[in-house]
């Protein structure tokens, strides 16, 4: 039906932010990402399409990879996160996910374990640096 078709002028322009952890503006329309301005297509709030596209480009893929490739990778990411979350919830404190549970689950995978250790160490260093910065600027 013509009434159900979306108006192409309702899409918004956007940019792919490759190295930022800044949250993206929340809109009902999100995603088809290139390194240059492009149209944003509808997505779900839990969609990883934008980040997957950016990571694929960062690891050497085309600026605008095939949608099917991005969809498959997103499915794998969601499946991995879901499985790890369910496993983490079943160990340790029931119904809660804690960092120690994730570390326990990946302890036998040297690459993932090393990466998690690096990220946790970096997080602690950032916390210490922020605290020192705040104390220097605002005093104790």
């Amino acid at each position: 039906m013509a009434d159900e078709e979306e108006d192409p002028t309702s899409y918004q322009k956007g940019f792919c932010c490759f190295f930022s952890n800044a949250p993206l503006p929340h809109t009902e329309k999100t995603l088809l990402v290139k390194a240059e301005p492009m149209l944003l297509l509808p997505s779900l709030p839990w969609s990883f399409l934008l980040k997957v596209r950016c990571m694929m480009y960062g690891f050497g893929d085309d600026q605008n990879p095939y949608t099917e490739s991005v969809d498959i990778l997103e499915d794998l990411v969601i499946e991995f996160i879901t499985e790890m979350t369910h496993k983490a919830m079943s160990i340790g404190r029931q119904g809660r996910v804690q960092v120690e549970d994730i570390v326990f689950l990946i302890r036998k995978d040297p690459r993932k374990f090393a990466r998690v250790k690096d990220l946790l160490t970096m997080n602690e260093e950032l916390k210490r640096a922020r605290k020192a910065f705040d104390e220097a600027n605002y005093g104790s």
Side-chain angles (χ1 to χ4, degrees), residues 40-92:
L40 298 175
L41 298 178
S43 78
L44 302 172
W46 59 84
S47 176
F48 293 102
L49 289 175
L50 174 65
K51 295 203 183 255
V52 168
R53 280 185 183 277
C54 291
M55 288 178 69
M56 288 175 69
Y57 179 68
F59 281 102
D61 204 332
D62 189 64
Q63 281 185 338
N64 192 16
Y66 289 124
T67 304
E68 294 84 2
S69 300
V70 177
D71 290 343
I72 289 171
L73 281 176
E74 184 195 33
D75 289 345
L76 291 172
V77 167
I78 291 172
E79 182 180 334
F80 176 78
I81 291 172
T82 303
E83 286 179 15
M84 289 295 286
T85 303
H86 285 290
K87 288 178 185 177
M89 288 175 67
S90 68
I91 62 174

Side-chain angles (χ1 to χ4, degrees), residues 91 101-114:
I91 62 174
D101 300 333
I102 302 295
V103 172
F104 177 79
L105 290 172
I106 62 161
R107 72 192 183 284
K108 293 181 182 175
D109 185 333
R111 291 180 74 187
K112 288 178 189 161
F113 186 74

Side-chain angles (χ1 to χ4, degrees), residues 1 10 14 24 35 48 58 62 64 66 68 72 74 76 78 95 97 115 117 130-131 134 137:
M1 300 254 205
S10 68
L24 296 170
F48 293 102
D62 189 64
N64 192 16
Y66 289 124
E68 294 84 2
I72 289 171
E74 184 195 33
L76 291 172
I78 291 172
V97 177
R115 180 66 175 149
K117 267 184 23 182
R130 281 189 203 107
K131 184 177 180 182
D134 288 344
N137 284 340

